[in-house]
Amino acid sequence: MKFSDIWRLGGIGLRTRPLRVVLSALGIAIGIAAMVSVVGISASSRAEMDRRLADLGTNLLTAGPGKSFLGDASHLPEDAEAMVARIGPVTAVSATGRVASAHVYRSDRIPSVESGGIAVLAARATLPSTVGATVHAGTWLAAPTYPTVVLGSRAAGILGLGDGLGLNVWLGDHWFTVVGILDPVPLAPELDSAVLIGWPVATSVLGFDGYATTIYSRIRDDAVESVAAVLAATANPETPNEVQVSRPSDALAAKAATDQAYTGLLLGLGAVALLVGGVGVANTMVISVLERRSEIGLRRALGATRSHVRLQFLAESLLLAGLGGASGVLLGFLVTSLYAALRSWPAVLPLWALAGAFGATLVIGAIAGLYPAMRAARMSPTVALS
């Protein structure tokens, strides 16, 4: 029997029972669609993360005070920012300082204990360009010596101001005017829940001590690791062990690694769905063999060998699984594309995922159809016809 005849006979078996074929293929399709969409969404998420990191830059380092040897809180020297700026590969430096004695409120009628967890930070004028922050509404601190504030994106929501430019907030027993609201800052998320004021007004009005609590520095891409190694000693030469140095982009990369763990879990669930679909195919093929005993007996009586019967039912199982696999790949592709479009991500679907998913369906189909095919081949013609 020709190779093409085997597939033609397998197709005839499927066309005679369309509803059963659709329901059986649906189980395979769901499993494959789940696996393809999980891989596709994960790959699209990583591509978006890579794009964001490329836009934000991975060359931002931060330095802040840690703990002393005895566990007491320490602080950076007053000239730490200037010393960091003298490092050769450093291209930009800025800083913020926490004004611990001040809290911000929507009005002066709110009890002092209800601070909302909003930090008050003195900020340098160069902060947005250094950390990659953008102003959502209004302007940055154009006049740092005046009582004006810029709100982080989350702080604006906590205060219930929205885009309330020109409104006043009660800060450190003084009224400050809102002149700007920031977009979320991925590389400096601490700014999202902060109120930013000019460094000079923080010193003159709120009694700020002038010590920076975070120094942000942009480095040449080829010198990030070398600068990170000397940043603590440069910011605080006397006690470099009391300086904490970090790379904000590492936190984003760690988040992406965490997402991969969930991807593995979801792939496992997709594999379980695929296994259930394979059991459905096996069940369909076993029932098909039982229902078509007369057909098997007639074919054997007309000269078909056991090998022919075995190949016929194995081909039918492979076609059934292949139909479900192709449908699942298409459905997974559509789900990935739709989800990526809704999130404004680049749609990425690795070729290995498509090929691997379809190949898995064929393996499942072959395994699921092997026993029914062998059972059909062992059937005696006289018993089958009876």
Side-chain angles (χ1 to χ4, degrees):
M1 189 165 58
K2 296 181 180 179
F3 184 75
S4 58
D5 293 335
I6 295 174
W7 294 109
R8 182 174 56 82
L9 287 172
I12 292 174
L14 297 182
R15 288 196 298 271
T16 56
R17 297 166 179 81
L19 181 59
R20 183 181 298 171
V21 167
V22 170
L23 294 177
S24 299
L26 184 61
I28 291 284
I30 291 174
I32 290 298
M35 298 180 71
V36 170
S37 58
V38 165
V39 173
I41 291 173
S42 177
S44 299
S45 175
R46 285 195 292 271
E48 172 65 11
M49 183 65 68
D50 292 341
R51 186 188 67 80
R52 289 178 60 193
L53 286 176
D55 292 341
L56 297 170
T58 58
N59 59 344
L60 179 69
L61 295 177
T62 65
K67 298 289 185 180
S68 67
F69 181 75
L70 298 177
D72 299 326
S74 62
H75 61 75
L76 299 174
E78 291 186 359
D79 57 350
E81 189 179 349
M83 290 189 292
V84 171
R86 286 196 289 268
I87 301 176
V90 173
T91 59
V93 176
S94 192
T96 59
R98 189 179 183 94
V99 186
S101 60
H103 299 285
V104 61
Y105 306 93
R106 180 64 182 83
S107 75
D108 56 350
R109 302 294 182 181
I110 298 176
S112 60
V113 294
E114 299 180 8
S115 62
I118 302 175
V120 178
L121 300 178
R124 298 294 190 188
T126 56
L127 182 64
S129 59
T130 303
V131 303
T134 56
V135 178
H136 174 74
T139 62
W140 180 241
L141 298 168
T145 59
Y146 287 86
T148 57
V149 300
V150 171
L151 306 179
S153 59
R154 186 170 177 270
I158 294 174
L159 292 172
L161 294 178
D163 290 342
L165 301 178
L167 299 178
N168 293 327
V169 293
W170 186 247
L171 196 161
D173 295 333
H174 295 82
W175 288 106
F176 281 69
T177 302
V178 178
V179 296
I181 297 175
L182 296 178
D183 288 313
V185 187
L187 290 182
E190 63 275 8
L191 302 181
D192 296 341
S193 300
V195 168
L196 304 165
I197 61 178
W199 204 281
V201 74
T203 303
S204 60
V205 176
L206 301 178
F208 174 49
D209 58 14
Y211 291 118
T213 51
T214 304
I215 296 177
Y216 303 92
S217 55
R218 286 283 182 179
I219 322 296
R220 286 203 323 260
D221 291 336
D222 60 342
V224 174
E225 300 300 333
S226 59
V227 172
V230 301
L231 187 58
T234 304
N236 192 349
E238 293 186 1
T239 52
N241 59 295
E242 296 181 4
V243 180
Q244 293 182 337
V245 176
S246 64
R247 189 175 182 178
S249 59
D250 289 344
L252 296 179
K255 180 180 180 299
T258 303
D259 292 341
Q260 291 182 16
Y262 287 106
T263 298
L265 174 62
L266 293 175
L267 280 176
L269 294 176
V272 171
L274 182 59
L275 179 61
V276 171
V279 172
V281 171
N283 182 59
T284 298
M285 295 308 301
V286 169
I287 295 175
S288 179
V289 169
L290 295 176
E291 290 180 344
R292 296 160 63 187
R293 285 180 299 180
S294 58
E295 174 192 335
I296 296 170
L298 181 60
R299 291 200 61 227
R300 290 294 309 279
L302 293 175
T305 64
R306 289 187 175 183
S307 176
H308 292 159
V309 175
R310 184 166 50 248
L311 289 175
Q312 174 191 349
F313 281 90
L314 189 59
E316 187 173 328
S317 178
L318 287 173
L319 287 173
L320 180 57
L323 177 63
S327 302
V329 167
L330 178 60
L331 181 59
F333 173 78
L334 293 176
V335 169
T336 299
S337 300
L338 179 61
Y339 188 85
L342 292 175
R343 300 293 297 271
S344 299
W345 291 353
V348 178
L349 195 57
L351 183 60
W352 64 263
L354 299 178
F358 190 73
T361 63
L362 296 182
V363 172
I364 291 291
I367 295 174
L370 186 60
Y371 170 72
M374 295 177 63
R375 180 174 179 175
R378 288 197 302 265
M379 208 172 274
S380 169
T382 55
V383 173
L385 286 173
S386 65

